[in-house]
Amino acid sequence: MTENENNLTLEKVTAGLKTEGIDMFKEKLNNDWVLNNVNANRFSVSRLTVKEVYKEYISVYIFNSETDRKEGLHDFNHQKEKYDMQIPNIYEYKNVLILYWHHETVDNSKNAKFNKPIEMAIQKI
């Protein structure tokens, strides 16, 4: 069995996230990161309410291999150096890289609303 036969698909990843109770709404990409020549699939994960003015997002990258995913993360780390920006929570599994763009501070990022559900989904995929 080759590495590519073990690759995850976007459908499998989104199904796993939805199983953990994350409502995902496909977003049009305006200026999302291109990592190692792979475009993101961006989803908003929160509905706007009176109390919640800013959306949170999940960017899902599906690479051709685990090696390509590692290069994609390296690419992200290199690109973000030129920006003063909120750092997303980063999740890696097989050929998948997930960036969770939340509104918590860096010190409180582990308490972001969808952190635990994303971690649980990745363990079950």
Side-chain angles (χ1 to χ4, degrees), residues 41-55:
N41 295 279
R42 179 173 269 214
F43 302 90
S44 61
V45 291
S46 53
R47 297 174 193 225
L48 295 181
T49 64
V50 174
K51 293 181 181 178
E52 189 173 0
V53 178
Y54 301 105
K55 292 182 184 181

Side-chain angles (χ1 to χ4, degrees), residues 61-125:
Y61 292 84
I62 306 294
F63 294 93
N64 289 326
S65 68
E66 192 170 333
T67 301
D68 287 349
R69 186 241 325 138
K70 290 176 183 177
E71 290 177 19
L73 180 58
H74 176 75
D75 191 11
F76 175 73
N77 288 326
H78 177 72
Q79 288 184 48
K80 75 176 183 180
E81 289 175 359
K82 57 186 164 195
Y83 298 102
D84 178 23
M85 58 179 263
Q86 171 198 358
I87 305 299
N89 288 0
I90 298 170
Y91 310 87
E92 301 175 83
Y93 185 64
K94 294 187 178 185
N95 63 306
V96 176
L97 175 66
I98 298 173
L99 304 179
Y100 169 31
W101 303 91
H102 55 81
H103 298 295
E104 296 295 335
T105 63
V106 172
D107 293 335
N108 201 35
S109 65
K110 291 296 179 195
N111 294 322
K113 183 176 182 179
F114 295 108
N115 187 52
K116 291 291 182 202
I118 294 170
E119 289 176 351
M120 293 299 295
I122 288 173
Q123 291 175 14
K124 293 177 182 178
I125 293 176

Side-chain angles (χ1 to χ4, degrees), residues 20-58:
E20 291 303 316
I22 301 174
D23 289 330
M24 299 172 62
F25 308 94
K26 185 75 173 151
E27 293 281 328
K28 291 182 181 176
L29 296 176
N30 293 332
N31 56 352
D32 215 344
W33 302 79
V34 176
L35 304 178
N36 194 22
N37 298 313
V38 173
N39 290 307
N41 295 279
R42 179 173 269 214
F43 302 90
S44 61
V45 291
S46 53
R47 297 174 193 225
L48 295 181
T49 64
V50 174
K51 293 181 181 178
E52 189 173 0
V53 178
Y54 301 105
K55 292 182 184 181
E56 292 188 335
Y57 296 95
I58 291 177

